[in-house]
Amino acid sequence: MVALASELADRVSTVDYRALPDSVRREAGRGLANIVAVTMAGLMQEASEIAVQASVDMAEFGEVPILGKDVQLSEGAAAMVIGVAAHVDDYDDTHLETVIHPSAVPFAALVPLLWSSGSIGATASGNDFLRAYLLGCEVELRLGRAMSPSHYDRGWHITGTCGVVGAAVSAACFLHLSREQTARAIALATGMTVGQRESFGTMAKSWHVGQAAKNGLTAARAAAAGTAVAGDVLDRRGGYLDMLSGRIDQEAVLNEFGDDWLFGEDTYKPYPCGIVAHPLIDAGLVLHGKSIDWAGVDVLDVRCNPLVPELMGARSPSTPLEARFSAVHDMASAVVDGYFDLRSLTEGAISRGSVARIRDKIRLLDDPDVARDAAEVSVRLDGGELVEAAVQHARGSAARPLTTEELHNKVDMAAERNPDAPSGQEVWETVMSLEVSDLRSLRKILHKGVMA
Amino acid sequence: MRCDISTDSDIDMAEAIVRAYLRPVKVGERIAAAFLATSAGYDDADGYRPRASVRREVMPLGDLYERSARLGALLDRRPDWGPGVSLRSISIMVAVGLQRAGFTGTEAALEAAEAAARPNSLISDFFAKELRGTTWNALGISIRISVALTASRLLGGTAAQTRNSLALSCAAAGGFASGFASELVLPLTVRDGISNAFLARKGFTGALHPIMGRRGLLAVMAPDAEPGPIQELGARLREI
């Protein structure tokens, strides 16, 4: 019997990016533009700066520049920093069925290779990069699907546990590893998983992404160097799938690989917080438009999916990271401001009394019959009038994805957060033309101060 | 079935672990001798040559995890050390490396190595028992935690920072007990432990209940863990 890692490597090796349908390649471009811009914004966060400073203290110097930071890091340290930045705002992307944020880990593993892979990085095409990114995300999602929902339910942070394998695949593709080496990279990555949900609401959640990217790169490098590993460690009894999940649908890993793309179900976050709160934020925006006198309101009832209080049940967040995991806070912020974006998650914005007063009135009524992307709210006003609002599908969900214009606007806004970043327009044009260019333009926008 | 493990006990556990690594100690003769032997080995005994790309002034740290495996193994083969000294030698290795890199003085390095010896052994025993029914590499996890906590003390970490280094170190696997590239486990976990201590020192935060939280290390890696070893670890840490 052929080991799953070998079969997976076989399937990966047969994918010809240029022969893929337009819709798949278009989504790869949209996903990449999104994660590039979100990473640029994330580099402004304290967690990213800490990761840079810690790398400097450890003398992790190398060839990889970091946008806006006066330092060039080793590929492992750079993968860590970029991974932290890509996810720290919780603004990246989500595959709702698995709750994986697919882009951040493969992207963070690939970017350092633009500088540290020598002649490969200098001569590779935009298609090479897009292919490696897409395949890393796809493998990550397929492993996640095979283990869902029990894996996440147990408490694993699925982006880190599946992402590490995705990162290894992306790096293996970009470095032109052989099928046998790619299979070994996959197998090695399975022993380097990262992340438990206990860390949510702390910087460690984004560290899971950075560490998974670093580990995936390590696995690919070790495989290329000939490090031996059992070929069946992915699918054997007591191996990766078995240890990470009580119930496994192993066929989900390989079934229609290369034809049916799970990455096509990826969605881009319109709001920088946990995705299960997005329908509540949409409802909050509706309530903002109704000019309610909240002083006369006792309770704001919200019927929502049980994952809302499960994942985002914090009632009184005291830091921006905690606020990203407080559905009641994020909804209240939307009610007060009429928007919810990166401006809503500063220290000053989250400590406002106006937000806290509405937040304290919100009552979450979890109901398994409410879909993950839906919510219903009702407010009894002082005079007895009942105000109701229903969100059937949250903005940015699979049923109501961001339009190209909305995604472009998001890229503009995210890039604008970083004064060292190029304009969102330049990011968009660079990524969308990557199929017909080499990687100099991508290197240029990722660090405009370093020679491409 | 796993017994109910409250997060209250985890607060005590994490605090007890951190306290054990940061406690004041008197350096014993065995640790001092081992420290000197390691320090000598650092210069030439293992024949290691640092990478040219590693800056000279911080060379001992930059190549620390690359050579930790061979020096750790070298020490473990010494007949006067007896069995089961892997984690102790790794902590000494970290102490020597950070002292050579200028992050700490010799006296502080010796104290950190002494302080780590006992809790290293307890943590190693604990994870070996709790992960016995699984295929996770318990030693890999123990090494990462031991290295992070030793390094945090050496870097002058506060109790809160040291606790965050523990949190980061509990959030990753350390390979599988068999079939996984065993030669990678030691360098990777030492690398990560040191890195986690540096991140925490700069202010990186992690879970408050990393070991026994509802979705912490034991919940995901050993859902059938028994409370006996937990209570035993807590009691023995308090005795230190």
Side-chain angles (χ1 to χ4, degrees):
Chain A
M1 197 172 122
V2 179
L4 185 58
S6 292
E7 288 201 57
L8 203 45
D10 277 351
R11 306 291 172 96
V12 165
S13 70
T14 58
V15 171
D16 178 355
Y17 186 79
R18 285 164 300 187
L20 294 177
D22 288 348
S23 59
V24 176
R25 289 186 286 116
R26 174 174 166 273
E27 217 49 57
R30 281 162 52 93
L32 187 58
N34 179 65
I35 198 65
V36 167
V38 165
T39 302
M40 288 169 172
L43 281 166
M44 301 302 294
Q45 289 286 4
E46 183 188 10
S48 306
E49 181 59 28
I50 289 173
V52 170
Q53 290 304 320
S55 301
V56 169
D57 284 356
M58 287 185 287
E60 287 272 12
F61 301 114
E63 301 165 277
V64 187
I66 305 294
L67 181 70
K69 317 287 182 187
D70 187 23
V71 67
Q72 287 176 259
L73 299 178
S74 68
E75 68 178 28
M80 164 65 74
V81 171
I82 293 164
V84 168
H87 192 58
V88 69
D89 280 325
D90 245 295
Y91 200 20
D92 41 5
D93 55 357
T94 309
H95 180 261
L96 201 54
E97 179 195 344
T98 57
V99 211
I100 289 178
H101 307 293
S103 291
V105 186
F107 173 73
L110 278 170
V111 168
L113 294 175
L114 291 172
W115 283 274
S116 66
S117 61
S119 61
I120 293 174
T123 59
S125 69
N127 278 331
D128 292 332
F129 191 91
L130 285 161
R131 177 180 182 276
Y133 160 71
L134 175 65
L135 283 165
C137 293
E138 184 67 16
V139 168
E140 178 183 4
L141 289 172
R142 283 172 172 270
L143 290 173
R145 184 171 66 172
M147 298 191 289
S148 290
S150 64
H151 175 64
Y152 193 80
D153 290 347
R154 272 191 187 182
W156 294 100
H157 183 197
I158 194 168
T159 299
T161 53
C162 296
V164 66
V165 183
V169 168
S170 286
C173 288
F174 194 75
L175 292 169
H176 304 308
L177 299 197
S178 69
R179 290 184 194 195
E180 190 260 333
Q181 288 171 322
T182 301
R184 260 190 286 138
I186 291 169
L188 286 166
T190 63
M192 305 183 199
T193 56
V194 187
Q196 297 132 17
R197 283 165 51 198
E198 193 67 24
S199 303
F200 284 13
T202 74
M203 292 180 188
K205 182 172 189 261
S206 60
W207 174 82
H208 296 164
V209 170
Q211 186 71 28
K214 183 177 179 178
N215 286 355
L217 257 177
T218 301
R221 290 294 196 189
T227 304
V229 61
D232 62 352
V233 71
L234 178 59
D235 52 330
R236 73 179 178 191
R237 187 173 173 79
Y240 171 89
L241 290 169
D242 188 32
M243 292 304 293
L244 292 180
S245 175
R247 289 187 307 171
I248 307 161
D249 177 10
Q250 206 160 303
E251 282 189 11
V253 179
L254 297 174
N255 195 28
E256 295 190 83
F257 194 104
D259 295 321
D260 178 24
W261 290 87
L262 286 192
F263 189 72
E265 300 167 9
D266 192 26
T267 61
Y268 310 109
K269 285 186 170 184
Y271 309 120
C273 63
I275 196 164
V276 296
H278 288 201
L280 280 68
I281 293 169
D282 282 342
L285 296 174
V286 172
L287 294 178
H288 172 80
K290 294 189 180 294
S291 301
I292 293 170
D293 177 9
W294 291 98
V297 171
D298 289 330
V299 178
L300 195 174
D301 275 333
V302 182
R303 279 187 66 237
C304 57
N305 185 274
L307 276 181
V308 177
E310 161 87 10
L311 298 179
M312 299 191 61
R315 294 293 315 185
S316 304
S318 59
T319 68
L321 281 172
E322 287 177 10
R324 286 181 161 84
F325 287 88
S326 172
V328 293
H329 174 86
D330 299 348
M331 182 180 184
S333 185
V335 170
V336 169
D337 296 327
Y339 63 82
F340 188 80
D341 58 30
L342 291 168
R343 292 172 293 174
S344 313
L345 290 161
T346 63
E347 297 277 0
I350 66 165
S351 60
R352 288 176 293 169
S354 56
V355 173
R357 281 190 289 277
I358 295 179
R359 185 173 73 201
D360 293 344
K361 298 176 192 290
I362 298 174
R363 188 166 60 181
L364 298 179
L365 308 171
D366 57 294
D367 182 344
D369 291 333
V370 177
R372 289 183 182 184
D373 62 347
E376 297 170 12
V377 300
S378 59
V379 187
R380 180 74 66 183
L381 303 184
D382 210 9
E385 183 190 351
L386 187 67
V387 176
E388 294 178 304
V391 175
Q392 289 189 321
H393 299 290
R395 188 168 158 255
S397 64
R400 196 179 153 204
L402 292 191
T403 64
T404 296
E405 185 183 356
E406 286 175 318
L407 182 58
H408 199 326
N409 288 341
K410 178 186 172 183
V411 168
D412 287 344
M413 179 184 282
E416 201 174 276
R417 300 288 295 183
N418 189 328
D420 293 302
S423 68
Q425 179 65 22
E426 191 177 344
V427 170
W428 186 267
E429 288 176 359
T430 298
V431 174
M432 291 307 169
S433 62
L434 209 52
E435 280 194 8
V436 292
S437 66
D438 59 26
L439 292 171
R440 279 178 296 187
S441 59
L442 184 62
R443 290 205 286 190
K444 186 178 164 206
I445 63 165
L446 288 170
H447 195 292
K448 60 185 181 184
V450 167
M451 289 293 289
Chain B
M1 269 306 282
R2 181 184 174 193
C3 295
D4 180 37
I5 299 165
S6 74
T7 50
D8 286 348
S9 62
D10 190 41
I11 291 174
D12 294 336
M13 183 68 74
E15 282 184 358
I17 291 172
V18 168
R19 201 181 304 124
Y21 278 88
L22 297 185
R23 76 191 192 283
V25 290
K26 185 179 177 193
V27 178
E29 286 180 12
R30 281 167 61 86
I31 291 292
F35 187 90
L36 287 173
T38 308
S39 192
Y42 220 100
D43 288 329
D44 53 22
D46 65 343
Y48 181 80
R49 295 290 175 269
R51 290 173 298 165
S53 61
V54 178
R55 289 201 323 188
R56 179 68 197 171
E57 64 267 32
V58 286
M59 180 274 290
L61 178 63
D63 70 344
L64 180 56
Y65 46 81
E66 291 188 16
R67 60 191 310 174
S68 61
R70 66 180 77 195
L71 274 172
L74 201 71
L75 273 174
D76 282 354
R77 284 199 297 271
R78 286 167 54 116
D80 53 325
W81 274 69
V85 296
S86 299
L87 290 182
R88 183 164 53 179
S89 63
I90 288 298
S91 277
I92 291 171
M93 189 70 229
V94 170
V96 169
L98 292 180
Q99 182 258 328
R100 289 300 186 87
F103 284 98
T104 188
T106 302
E107 190 178 342
L110 278 163
E111 286 174 355
E114 179 72 54
R118 183 83 179 119
N120 278 358
S121 160
L122 295 177
I123 285 171
S124 177
D125 287 350
F126 170 71
F127 283 113
K129 286 175 186 164
E130 291 291 45
L131 299 180
R132 185 179 292 148
T134 76
T135 56
W136 296 113
N137 187 335
L139 184 60
I141 293 167
S142 303
I143 291 171
R144 187 189 298 108
I145 290 172
S146 302
V147 167
L149 290 162
T150 306
S152 185
R153 174 180 177 137
L154 286 160
L155 295 172
T158 63
Q161 290 165 344
T162 304
R163 186 170 182 142
N164 280 324
S165 75
L166 170 67
L168 294 176
S169 299
C170 288
F176 293 106
S178 68
F180 185 76
S182 57
E183 73 269 30
L184 278 183
V185 171
L186 192 56
L188 282 177
T189 50
V190 171
R191 177 196 75 177
D192 293 348
I194 292 172
S195 175
N196 295 344
F198 272 90
L199 282 165
R201 184 179 71 146
K202 288 292 187 186
F204 221 87
T205 59
L208 194 58
H209 312 297
I211 298 174
M212 284 179 288
R214 195 154 68 91
R215 299 182 192 89
L217 188 155
L218 287 184
V220 299
M221 286 190 150
D224 298 323
E226 297 293 337
I230 295 166
Q231 290 158 357
E232 185 185 345
L233 175 63
R236 294 178 75 180
L237 282 170
R238 280 192 290 274
E239 288 169 5
I240 291 180

